[in-house]
C-alpha cells in the first residue's frame, strides 16, 4: 500500500465532496432571479453545468485512484498515475492562468487557492508513482 497515493486519493475525494456540494451552494447564492434577463440565466446555467463537469472529473479521479490503490484492476497503473498527475497539473496551471488574466482583488492567489490544491495533488500522485 502506497501512503502517498492514499493521501492523494483522500484529497481528491474531499475535493469532490466540497466542490460538488459546497461549490453548488455558492453557485446557488448568485443565481439570477427568475425575472433576470434570459442571457444571464443561460450563462449562469452554462457555468453551473461546466462546474459540475469538473465535479464528475474529481469523482472519476477518486474512483480511479481507489482502484489503483486498493485493487489490481489496472495492468498499467504507472501509466495511469502519470496521466492523472499531468491531468491535475493541467488543472492547476489552468486555474492559475485564469487568476493571472482575471481582474485582481486583494490576496487573489490565496483566496482562490484551488490552483495550489491541484498542484499538490499532482505532486503527490507523481511522487507516489516514483
Amino acid at each position: 500500500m502506497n501512503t502517498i497515493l492514499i493521501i492523494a486519493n483522500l484529497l481528491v475525494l474531499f475535493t469532490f465532496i466540497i466542490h460538488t456540494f459546497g461549490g453548488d451552494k455558492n453557485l446557488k447564492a448568485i443565481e439570477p432571479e427568475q425575472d433576470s434577463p434570459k442571457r444571464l440565466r443561460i450563462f449562469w446555467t452554462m457555468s453551473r453545468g461546466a462546474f459540475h463537469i469538473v465535479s464528475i472529473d474529481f469523482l472519476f479521479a477518486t474512483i480511479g485512484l481507489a482502484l489503483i490503490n486498493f485493487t489490481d484492476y489496472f495492468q498499467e497503473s504507472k501509466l495511469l498515475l502519470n496521466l492523472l498527475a499531468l491531468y491535475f497539473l493541467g488543472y492547476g496551471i489552468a486555474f492559475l492562468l485564469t487568476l493571472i488574466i482575471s481582474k485582481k482583488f486583494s490576496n487573489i492567489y490565496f483566496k482562490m487557492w484551488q490552483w495550489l490544491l491541484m498542484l499538490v495533488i499532482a505532486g503527490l500522485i507523481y511522487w507516489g508513482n516514483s
Side-chain angles (χ1 to χ4, degrees):
M1 224 181 268
N2 187 323
T3 305
I4 297 167
L5 289 177
I6 291 172
I7 292 168
N9 203 160
L10 289 171
L11 268 177
V12 178
L13 173 62
F14 291 138
T15 300
F16 163 71
I17 292 168
I18 292 166
H19 187 270
T20 302
F21 300 105
D24 194 67
K25 182 180 174 187
N26 291 336
L27 282 171
K28 287 288 287 174
I30 62 167
E31 181 177 9
E33 297 295 326
Q34 192 65 33
D35 59 349
S36 296
K38 182 179 177 185
R39 183 176 74 88
L40 292 179
R41 295 206 41 85
I42 288 170
F43 287 147
W44 181 84
T45 304
M46 189 171 21
S47 297
R48 189 178 189 199
F51 184 87
H52 285 299
I53 288 171
V54 175
S55 295
I56 295 302
D57 286 350
F58 292 144
L59 174 64
F60 286 168
T62 299
I63 292 167
L65 280 168
L67 287 171
I68 289 168
N69 280 324
F70 303 111
T71 73
D72 291 324
Y73 185 77
F74 296 112
Q75 292 178 355
E76 297 292 331
S77 61
K78 284 202 150 308
L79 173 63
L80 291 173
L81 288 168
N82 282 335
L83 290 173
L84 273 174
L86 283 172
Y87 192 74
F88 281 101
L89 177 67
Y91 262 139
I93 291 169
F95 201 105
L96 183 57
L97 288 174
T98 299
L99 296 180
I100 290 168
I101 65 172
S102 296
K103 291 181 181 174
K104 304 295 181 276
F105 52 85
S106 65
N107 296 318
I108 186 173
Y109 299 102
F110 296 109
K111 289 179 181 172
M112 306 287 293
W113 49 266
Q114 294 89 333
W115 63 275
L116 185 57
L117 174 64
M118 297 299 108
L119 295 180
V120 166
I121 291 170
L124 286 169
I125 294 170
Y126 181 80
W127 184 28
N129 194 28
S130 298

